[in-house]
């Protein structure tokens, strides 16, 4: 297991931000991961788990403790059953399942990060969420001191949330198991209107899984959501804020605020989110509050391609990024009465 001291963490994140860790370990097997976690826990050393680094905002002072980078490998396909090691690159794994003619995660193509991170925040995009196909999650339980297998029904999945996110200091994901579908090379039924429109089909239709994947990659690239070292719009964590979910009372107040500020004929995006709940669009809120694409004059700015992405233009610090995020949160709250919540995990800093 590789060990470095006073190790830079910024290169391990898609933001390319953050100070060093006191110690950085890189684990390439499940046993190394478990041993490193047990050692840190026994010594009472603060521990930071790093996968693909696509959902991390690390403070400029870095991390005073042990950072453990999970770089395990493992892609096992048995019929429609898929098992991924936590360190597998997610978008590569999606491509391989599509090449195998299987459906279920093809619309999750292009999402940066590792497979082990997907169940933590129930990764989703373009009408699919991993909760629909995950069958089991194998994790090291730091409370019990043993490796456990958590079936889907016990993962407590919801919108960008899970049991693992609710208890971030308890579980370290080692492997993720999926149940995919053999639809003769076709995709799962398309749920997302934008994807269906781009393909010239109706929602609910199926298309070749490879075509669905390619279309999603093009849509994501157009929004700066596919990693490209030469494109600073992709020096981000993707969507920085989650889409707000409002109660009936909150949505009524929001609807009135929209009518007052933008006009009675303006209708905010609204999607059912469970009994008595409505989900609206964070990107729409940001735009209508006056934070348009490319907003900002400093080294951290809103993406020129998508209002939901905050970006490092190359010379930003974490404090630059947080200042922009706070400005957006305050502006949306003042204009439309909704408080945005950050999606990335913050380390050593608070929004």
């Amino acid at each position: 297991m590789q060990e470095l001291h006073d190790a830079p963490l910024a290169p391990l994140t898609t933001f390319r931000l953050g100070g060093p860790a006191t110690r950085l370990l890189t684990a390439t097997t499940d046993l190394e991961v478990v041993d490193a976690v047990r050692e840190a826990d026994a010594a009472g050393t603060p521990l930071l788990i790093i996968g693909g680094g696509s959902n991390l905002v690390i403070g400029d002072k870095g991390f005073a403790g042990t950072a453990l980078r999970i770089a395990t490998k493992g892609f096992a396909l048995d019929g429609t059953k898929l098992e991924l090691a936590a360190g597998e690159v997610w978008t590569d794994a999606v491509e391989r399942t599509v090449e195998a003619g299987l459906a279920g995660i093809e619309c999750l193509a292009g999402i940066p990060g590792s497979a082990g991170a997907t169940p933590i925040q129930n990764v989703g995009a373009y009408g699919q969420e991993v909760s629909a196909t995950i069958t089991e999650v194998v994790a090291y339980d730091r409370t019990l001191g043993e490796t456990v297998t958590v079936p889907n029904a016990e993962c407590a999945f919801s919108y960008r949330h899970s049991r693992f996110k609710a208890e971030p200091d308890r579980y370290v994901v080692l492997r993720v198991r999926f149940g995919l579908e053999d639809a003769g090379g076709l995709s799962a039924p398309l749920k997302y209107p934008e994807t269906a429109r781009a393909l010239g089909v109706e929602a609910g239709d199926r298309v070749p899984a490879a075509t669905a994947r390619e279309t999603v990659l093009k849509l994501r690239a157009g929004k700066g959501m596919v990693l490209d070292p030469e494109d600073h719009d992709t020096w981000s964590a993707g969507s920085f804020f989650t889409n707000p979910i409002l109660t009936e009372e909150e949505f009524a107040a929001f609807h009135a605020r929209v009518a007052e500020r933008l006009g009675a004929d303006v209708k905010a995006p609204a999607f059912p989110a469970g009994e008595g709940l409505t989900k609206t669009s964070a990107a729409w809120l940001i735009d209508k509050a006056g934070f348009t694409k490319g907003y900002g004059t400093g080294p951290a700015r809103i993406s020129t391609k998508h209002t939901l992405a905050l970006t490092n233009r190359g010379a930003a610090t974490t404090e630059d990024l947080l200042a922009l995020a706070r400005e957006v949160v305050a502006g949306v709250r003042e204009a439309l009465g909704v408080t945005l919540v950050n999606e990335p995990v913050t380390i050593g800093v608070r929004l």
Side-chain angles (χ1 to χ4, degrees):
M1 184 158 50
Q2 184 187 68
E3 179 174 341
L4 299 172
H5 294 267
D6 195 26
L9 295 180
L12 302 182
T13 74
T14 53
F15 265 123
R16 295 167 171 80
L17 295 176
T22 305
R23 183 172 71 147
L24 171 64
L25 302 177
T26 298
T28 57
T29 68
D30 290 356
L31 181 59
E32 288 182 348
V33 173
V34 171
D35 285 348
V37 174
R38 283 177 171 162
E39 176 196 298
D41 288 349
T45 303
L47 181 66
L48 170 62
I49 304 296
I50 299 178
S54 61
N55 202 44
L56 278 181
V57 177
I58 299 173
D60 292 317
K61 292 182 179 179
F63 183 71
T66 296
L68 173 60
R69 177 172 171 259
I70 298 180
T72 53
K73 296 296 179 184
F75 178 102
L77 196 56
D78 180 11
T80 58
K81 297 178 181 178
L82 172 67
E83 180 178 285
L84 297 177
E88 279 289 328
V89 176
W90 173 252
T91 193
D92 292 348
V94 172
E95 182 177 11
R96 292 178 69 177
T97 65
V98 170
E99 288 173 349
L102 299 177
I105 57 176
E106 63 281 354
C107 290
L108 301 177
I111 295 176
S114 62
T118 61
I120 295 173
Q121 66 169 36
N122 185 18
V123 164
Y126 294 94
Q128 289 183 342
E129 289 182 329
V130 292
S131 58
T133 50
I134 286 177
T135 57
E136 295 177 329
V137 176
V138 180
Y140 178 68
D141 185 331
R142 298 167 69 183
T143 299
L144 297 179
E146 62 185 42
T147 298
V148 297
T149 299
V150 185
N152 180 292
E154 296 177 17
C155 290
F157 286 126
S158 60
Y159 173 66
R160 300 297 175 270
H161 202 69
S162 69
R163 172 180 183 174
F164 314 105
K165 189 172 183 177
E167 299 182 82
D169 296 325
R170 178 171 180 177
Y171 298 100
V172 179
V173 176
L174 302 174
R175 298 193 165 259
V176 189
R177 295 173 181 150
F178 299 82
L180 304 177
E181 178 188 7
D182 184 351
L186 295 179
S187 69
L190 298 172
K191 295 181 179 179
Y192 201 67
E194 184 183 9
T195 313
R197 284 196 303 271
L199 287 161
V201 299
E202 299 294 324
D205 288 349
R206 295 178 184 261
V207 298
T211 302
R213 173 182 170 273
E214 291 162 6
T215 300
V216 166
L217 286 173
K218 289 178 182 177
L219 291 171
R220 290 184 64 85
K223 299 173 183 178
M225 298 292 187
V226 176
L227 293 181
D228 179 354
E230 303 302 317
D231 183 359
H232 284 282
D233 278 334
T234 74
W235 290 33
S236 75
S239 300
F240 195 87
F241 301 103
T242 57
N243 289 322
I245 295 178
L246 308 175
T247 64
E248 290 180 358
E249 183 179 353
E250 289 169 339
F251 187 77
F254 167 58
H255 184 73
R257 193 74 165 264
V258 169
E260 176 187 346
R261 182 178 177 88
L262 304 176
D265 59 332
V266 176
K267 302 298 181 185
F271 311 95
E275 187 175 353
L277 300 174
T278 300
K279 180 167 65 176
T280 190
S281 165
W284 187 90
L285 290 167
I286 293 167
D287 181 71
K288 297 305 180 184
F291 302 99
T292 54
K293 295 175 184 176
Y295 178 87
T297 57
R301 304 179 195 174
I302 290 178
S303 166
T304 66
K305 301 182 179 72
H306 200 288
T307 55
L308 202 48
L310 307 188
T311 68
N312 170 12
R313 307 316 293 183
T317 63
T318 301
E319 278 306 310
D320 292 328
L321 174 75
L322 293 176
L324 175 62
R326 292 174 186 132
E327 182 183 2
V328 172
V329 170
V332 169
R333 184 191 299 119
E334 180 181 354
L336 298 167
V338 176
T339 299
L340 295 176
V341 176
N342 55 291
E343 187 169 324
V345 176
T346 54
I347 303 297
V349 290
R350 285 187 177 183
L351 187 58

